[in-house]
Amino acid sequence: MPDTYDLIVLGSGPGGYVAAIRAAQLGLKTAIVEREKLGGICLNWGCIPTKALLRTSEINHYLTHANAYGLSAEKVSFDLTKIVDRSRKVAGQLNAGVKGLMKKNKITVIEGEGAITGKGALSVSKDGKTTELAAKNIIVATGARARDLPFAKADGNRIWTYRHAMVPKEMPTKLLVIGSGAIGVEFASFYSDMGADVTIVEMLDRILPVEDEEVSAFVHKQLTKQGMKIHVSSGVDKLEATGSGVRAVLKGGAAEDFSHAIVAIGIVPNTENIGLEALGVSTNRGHIDTDPYGRTNVEGLWAIGDVTGPPWLAHKASHEGVIAAEAIAGVKGVHPMDKTNIPGCTYSRPQVASVGYTEAKAKEIGRNVKAGKFPFIGNGKAIALGEAEGFIKTVFDADTGELLGAHMVGAEVTELIQGYVVARQLETTEAELMHTVFPHPTLSEMMHESVLDAYGRAIHY
């Protein structure tokens, strides 16, 4: 007889393990199946270790520009092995924390390769042994992996995916980054601040294409100012590893040599070989179709996180996990996922953060728009920090005062954005934001000023 549960979660990333914890809190007998490490890609190979790397490059930037703060730092150098080791230790610490959470919440952890074998049935294979499991409900949270260039697969030596870029054996001297989404721009920023000569190639007409156009333009300008070369409306026609590096032919250009290349052109959902086809699960380009609660078209089968549609973000996956677990447990009043309230963050230098509609999108869907903007140079705290480059932009419905979106670029905006996320969740209008008292001196004052500016009332600029 198979081991039986109320819920089995296939995959233990930020969607899967959060879903399992919430289900256990609600009294469901829960198991989680994981083929690699608890915490998934985000914790072990994505969000967390990359932030550890970016913290190192940030400190390196400050050390090499110490004179701007009246300080002196001579012969600044780094040890690549120690940088990577610190990043891996941060990931390891959090992996251990997830293990502790599983134990605390009495969630059964089953290691191995999981596959759905029928309605409410799942098998797990490891070391030649197979364990049969059964559950009333199964959540698929198998995540995604990096997409390769069809003509140049990553070799881990000269051509990298994000996983290779996090554990470099050597520091690139001349780096080609293919793709300018959050992952591409973050790695470009890290390696540039560590001294590499960086070139970014983007197929679309601007970098960070999901962001507000003004934000994209500002980041393009800042990265260029830092010494990066950026090619938009471009691409790579040919890429091949050589004995000493990588030779690339950019769209319409001549061959150019680089020491390494990072391919950051998107993701592929991990939906193969887990039994979805036999069940007739509805998918779109490999991603599982769900309703706003995580239900698939197959009764008792749910899906969350990167294996479903965009945005492919850890915090979106976690929230989907909570929603699905509560829906499975029959909690009354479960709120469906509203993707317009999911913030996006890019931890480059400068940082980028946003939530809701861009100004262009708001106009496209027929809204009458009022937009306000406030620059970092008008903020005392930003000037004192030596971080006076950037701006905050807010977008309102001119007829109702609804906060439609917020877009930021500059120091620490990935922390500031949550103020606007809460405001949107509470359906706040410009009136409440104008009447809110912001502490001084803080970067958050720019949020207030941006709102005021949308209505012609900015004080400090």
Side-chain angles (χ1 to χ4, degrees), residues 46-64:
C47 323
I48 302 303
T50 55
K51 302 311 162 282
L53 293 176
L54 285 161
R55 178 61 170 165
T56 293
S57 65
E58 179 184 38
I59 292 173
N60 187 61
H61 168 72
Y62 285 131
L63 285 171
T64 55

Side-chain angles (χ1 to χ4, degrees), residues 110 124 222 265 444:
I110 303 164
V124 182
Q222 291 301 113
I265 57 171
S444 68

Side-chain angles (χ1 to χ4, degrees), residues 328-351:
I328 289 168
V331 173
K332 292 182 179 179
V334 180
H335 287 278
M337 171 63 80
D338 179 356
K339 292 184 180 180
T340 66
N341 284 344
I342 300 171
C345 296
T346 302
Y347 297 81
S348 51
R349 186 174 65 83
Q351 293 183 9

Side-chain angles (χ1 to χ4, degrees), residues 14 22 65 159 174 212 241 262 274 368 395 404 432:
R22 185 65 186 125
H65 292 81
I159 303 175
K174 187 178 180 183
D212 183 89
I262 297 175
I274 58 172
N368 183 19
V395 182
L404 297 176
E432 286 88 6

Side-chain angles (χ1 to χ4, degrees), residues 281-295:
V281 177
S282 176
T283 62
N284 181 7
R285 296 184 180 180
H287 291 94
I288 299 173
D289 294 325
T290 67
D291 71 4
Y293 299 91
R295 294 186 185 90

Side-chain angles (χ1 to χ4, degrees), residues 26-40:
L26 292 167
L28 301 183
K29 183 183 178 184
T30 304
I32 194 163
V33 176
E34 175 55 56
R35 67 182 180 182
E36 292 186 37
K37 291 184 177 182
L38 289 172

Side-chain angles (χ1 to χ4, degrees), residues 66 69 96 250 259 264 277 302 409 440:
Y69 298 88
L250 304 188
S259 66
E277 296 86 358
W302 308 67
V409 57
H440 175 78

Side-chain angles (χ1 to χ4, degrees), residues 177-189 200-204 206-211 216 219 223 262-266 313 345-348 352:
V177 178
I178 306 168
S180 73
I183 292 173
V185 168
E186 285 182 0
F187 277 117
S189 191
I200 298 174
V201 177
E202 170 57 51
M203 179 180 67
L204 298 178
R206 58 192 177 93
I207 63 171
L208 295 173
V210 302
E211 299 295 344
S216 291
V219 176
L223 297 186
I262 297 175
V263 178
I265 57 171
L313 300 168
C345 296
T346 302
Y347 297 81
S348 51
V352 177

